[in-house]
Amino acid sequence: MLAKARLSTHTILLSGAFVLLVVSIGILWPVAAKASQPPGASSHGRSPATELARLVADLSSPDKAVQRAAVIALGKLGDPRVLSVLEALRGGSLYVWRQPSGGRETVIAREHATRDEKEVVSIVRADNGEIIQSDDGQAIYVETSALEAIWPDRRLRRIMKPIIDELRSRVNLFDLDPNTRRSAATRLGSLGRPELIPLLEEALSKEPTWWIRNAIHEAINLLKLSDDNPEVRREAAVRLGELRAETALSTLQRLVEAPAGGDSATSDGSVQRAAEVAIEQIERWEGITSVVGTLFRGLSLSSILLLMALGLAVTFGLMGVINMAHGELMMLGAYSAFVMQGWFQTYLPANLFDYYFLLAIPFSFVVAGAMGFVMERSVIRFLYGRPLDTLLVTWGVSLILQQAIRLIFGAANVDVTAPSWLRGGFQAMVGVQLPYNRLFIIVLAVASLVGTYLLLFHSKPGLRVRAVTQNREMSACLGIPARKVDTYTFALGSGLAGMAGCALSTVGNVGPDLGQNYIVDSFMVVVAGGVGKLAGTLAAAFGIGGLNKLLEPSFGAVFGKVLIVVLVILFLQWKPSGLFPAKGRLAEY
């Protein structure tokens, strides 16, 4: 009996140990199995690369439902490689390649060529972007007949569009161009998906530029406004107010207008109060940036007017010639920039393209100056002292120049591409970006004004110009070649007009009618400032340019311009000679 009892106890202990062992294995096995998976394995046991390859293969399925499910699943992967696949699908360059061995592979067509009178194309694997090569390491070119195109239907295209936009924003978040990075951050912030916050925080840790970091902070806090925790939303609203985030204004407004007691995600009282304060801060900042932006736009327009009026001040102010072809000389300067751009594109390497504008500026000065030289020698010199005749003749010359440009370049506008160093802008403050091309025009206008002043008042040729302007006969008696001085002075004014046209080609359209848009403003600046006075030209250019930008928001572009003309007429009734009275030859007529 004692032995039987010991055996029973021993059996019970062994059974308990066995049960404990089974339970332990049952608990620890899944943990051990999960720990044994390679890093990055999916919940289905597939690696991301395998999952990507499977979904890419599903894109070639004849079942449209399988295609749509594959596109949605590819979008959820968030893999940058998916972008090229979906763009190829949308662009019609995604194919199924029937291999000679009988296999099928989803590929992207790259480079088309013709070999042995057959159309062939190089291909890359769609799932990893690797170039498909032969055994000797050369890229394979396959006949297009061996490829089956994968065409998305309209419904699939609608599904793809937001996915492609998001994936492109993900990629652009790490682009080399700062403006592209900022646009991507703004775009991701507007999607309302808090799961994008880790991606933005990663970009924030690598971002060196302060104003792009500011945009990423805005995007992160904008996404946090969708958080379920009211405290997180309140802190995000406070932070957006501190950042002066204009992009968050509409979202904050929706938080304020949310009904009390409604959805808990939008109706928390503390969140609404924080949103109200943030809106006040942002709107106050918008007022400041609006004033700064208006001042800069006025300064920019004033610089353009100054550039245009400098040449006219020389020809009209110092020589008494009403040159109605002044606008067409500007047009010649703009077309000179177009010609120089084409010459660089045709004859020089692509990496030298950005330097074309540095040569276009003196080239436009020479072309317009040469035309002015020809005009003075052939027409103008016979009409000195006859202002109305010069007006009619130069108007006829302007029509001839316009028609000649239409015959050579066509009636349509031509495209002048600004060099890369004139694209983008300088971020002066939050919400205010100053375009580089406008800053360049301001610098060019100041340099042209200083150069013209030094030439006329601190050089021997300038002394001769002033002498001929004030007393032509006496200057001729002293041995000054008055005829040559007239010619070179007119060519100088024409060259300045050409340089103004070259600068304007970076901010507007270039066409045969370019000069007509600015000729009236140029005459207003010269007349209001005082004929022949550089200081008056400077003051009138900044006065009319600034006034234009101040009136435009309230009265519109057309009525604002009309109002300025009326104000200039009234001003001339009060001071007929302008801000600075005219002196020289014109005063004698």
Side-chain angles (χ1 to χ4, degrees):
M1 289 294 290
L2 182 60
K4 187 179 289 186
R6 287 178 179 173
L7 182 61
S8 178
T9 303
H10 193 69
T11 302
I12 292 172
L13 289 174
L14 286 175
S15 301
F18 178 75
V19 171
L20 183 61
L21 178 63
V22 170
V23 172
S24 300
I25 292 174
I27 294 173
L28 296 176
W29 178 262
V31 178
K34 187 173 182 179
S36 63
Q37 288 182 353
S42 68
S43 59
H44 300 290
R46 304 188 192 98
S47 67
T50 306
E51 183 70 3
L52 177 60
R54 185 185 68 81
L55 294 173
V56 168
D58 284 350
L59 293 177
S60 61
S61 172
D63 189 343
K64 296 299 181 184
V66 173
Q67 279 189 328
R68 292 168 196 142
V71 168
I72 294 172
L74 284 170
K76 291 180 179 178
L77 289 181
D79 194 319
R81 291 174 294 182
V82 174
L83 178 60
S84 61
V85 178
L86 296 184
E87 286 183 334
L89 177 60
R90 187 172 63 174
S93 58
L94 190 68
Y95 295 90
V96 174
W97 176 40
R98 298 191 300 275
Q99 300 174 356
S101 60
R104 295 166 62 86
E105 185 163 2
T106 306
V107 298
I108 299 174
R110 290 296 188 208
E111 183 183 353
H112 289 261
T114 302
R115 293 184 178 176
D116 299 330
E117 299 182 352
K118 295 180 180 177
E119 187 179 354
V120 294
V121 63
S122 65
I123 53 178
V124 299
R125 289 188 173 86
D127 57 343
N128 56 20
E130 292 181 355
I131 299 175
I132 299 179
Q133 300 175 338
S134 60
D135 295 336
D136 57 357
Q138 299 296 320
I140 289 179
Y141 280 80
V142 300
E143 296 182 18
T144 54
S145 59
L147 300 175
E148 296 176 6
I150 303 173
W151 294 104
D153 58 10
R154 182 176 298 177
R155 185 176 175 186
L156 187 59
R157 287 180 180 276
R158 286 201 299 269
I159 295 174
M160 281 195 297
K161 186 179 183 309
I163 296 174
I164 290 177
D165 290 344
E166 182 188 329
L167 289 172
R168 186 177 293 121
S169 297
R170 284 172 174 264
V171 174
N172 291 342
L173 200 57
F174 301 93
D175 195 88
L176 294 177
D177 182 16
N179 291 312
T180 303
R181 297 201 300 273
R182 184 176 65 169
S183 299
T186 303
R187 165 69 181 161
L188 291 174
S190 66
L191 294 180
R193 296 174 51 192
E195 62 267 26
L196 295 172
I197 290 177
L199 176 69
L200 289 165
E201 288 176 340
E202 179 188 354
L204 184 64
S205 64
K206 300 177 181 177
E207 182 55 57
T209 309
W210 73 267
W211 52 277
I212 301 177
R213 287 201 304 272
N214 198 79
I216 296 175
H217 276 301
E218 286 183 16
I220 291 174
N221 287 282
L222 196 54
L223 293 175
K224 286 183 177 178
L225 288 180
S226 303
D227 198 279
D228 293 332
N229 188 343
E231 183 61 23
V232 174
R233 297 200 305 276
R234 190 192 66 78
E235 291 179 358
V238 172
R239 182 67 177 138
L240 287 169
E242 294 172 350
L243 292 170
R244 276 71 175 176
E246 295 180 15
T247 55
L249 203 54
S250 58
T251 307
L252 292 170
Q253 197 67 42
R254 285 197 296 271
L255 286 177
V256 172
E257 294 172 355
D263 182 7
S264 61
T266 57
S267 61
D268 186 81
S270 63
V271 176
Q272 289 181 326
R273 286 191 294 276
E276 287 175 352
V277 174
I279 289 173
E280 290 178 3
Q281 290 176 314
I282 295 171
E283 290 180 342
R284 195 181 308 123
W285 186 253
E286 277 185 336
I288 297 173
T289 57
S290 176
V291 171
V292 174
T294 301
L295 289 175
F296 178 74
R297 288 192 295 274
L299 181 63
S300 173
L301 179 61
S302 301
S303 301
I304 293 174
L305 292 178
L306 178 61
L307 265 178
M308 293 187 302
L310 266 181
L312 199 61
V314 173
T315 57
F316 182 47
L318 297 180
M319 304 179 65
V321 176
I322 302 176
N323 184 14
M324 294 299 292
H326 189 74
E328 278 60 44
L329 294 170
M330 289 171 49
M331 174 196 66
L332 284 182
Y335 273 94
S336 300
F338 175 71
V339 171
M340 183 61 69
Q341 168 189 273
W343 191 84
F344 264 67
Q345 289 174 333
T346 305
Y347 298 104
L348 293 179
N351 58 349
L352 298 179
F353 177 76
D354 281 347
Y355 299 102
Y356 91 89
F357 201 72
L358 296 178
L359 293 182
I361 295 174
F363 181 61
S364 61
F365 180 88
V366 171
V367 170
M371 179 55 66
F373 183 92
V374 173
M375 285 176 59
E376 201 280 337
R377 283 298 175 96
S378 59
V379 178
I380 302 297
R381 66 166 45 194
F382 304 107
L383 301 174
Y384 284 127
R386 297 157 59 186
L388 292 180
D389 293 343
T390 59
L391 186 150
L392 290 174
V393 169
T394 54
W395 181 61
V397 171
S398 72
L399 297 179
I400 293 172
L401 289 176
Q402 284 186 40
Q403 198 58 35
I405 288 296
R406 287 192 180 94
L407 290 174
I408 297 172
F409 297 97
N413 292 341
V414 297
D415 182 27
V416 176
T417 304
S420 61
W421 47 274
L422 283 182
R423 300 172 203 160
F426 169 69
Q427 195 73 25
M429 52 197 294
V430 175
V432 177
Q433 188 180 47
L434 310 181
Y436 288 135
N437 55 356
R438 297 277 180 176
L439 290 172
F440 174 77
I441 289 177
I442 293 173
V443 173
L444 182 63
V446 173
S448 300
L449 179 66
V450 173
T452 304
Y453 172 77
L454 294 176
L455 179 65
L456 291 180
F457 296 97
H458 293 277
S459 72
K460 189 174 181 180
L463 179 63
R464 291 184 175 185
V465 170
R466 287 185 287 127
V468 173
T469 301
Q470 293 177 10
N471 195 318
R472 185 180 185 83
E473 288 74 17
M474 182 62 73
S475 301
C477 292
L478 294 174
I480 296 176
R483 290 283 189 183
K484 288 185 179 179
V485 170
D486 290 339
T487 303
Y488 291 123
T489 304
F490 195 85
L492 171 65
S494 302
L496 289 172
M499 202 162 59
C502 180
L504 284 176
S505 67
T506 64
V507 297
N509 296 324
V510 175
D513 299 328
L514 172 68
Q516 298 299 314
N517 300 327
Y518 298 100
I519 188 67
V520 174
D521 291 332
S522 302
F523 272 107
M524 278 199 300
V525 169
V526 173
V527 173
V531 178
K533 290 293 184 180
L534 292 182
T537 303
L538 176 66
F542 281 89
I544 292 177
L547 196 60
N548 198 326
K549 288 302 174 186
L550 285 176
L551 296 177
E552 194 172 311
S554 303
F555 297 93
V558 176
F559 287 104
K561 184 77 70 179
V562 171
L563 189 55
I564 288 175
V565 173
V566 172
L567 291 175
V568 169
I569 292 173
L570 293 176
F571 174 75
L572 292 177
Q573 293 295 318
W574 173 49
K575 291 180 74 72
S577 300
L579 288 172
F580 296 86
K583 294 180 181 178
R585 193 186 308 174
L586 185 64
E588 300 171 4
Y589 301 134

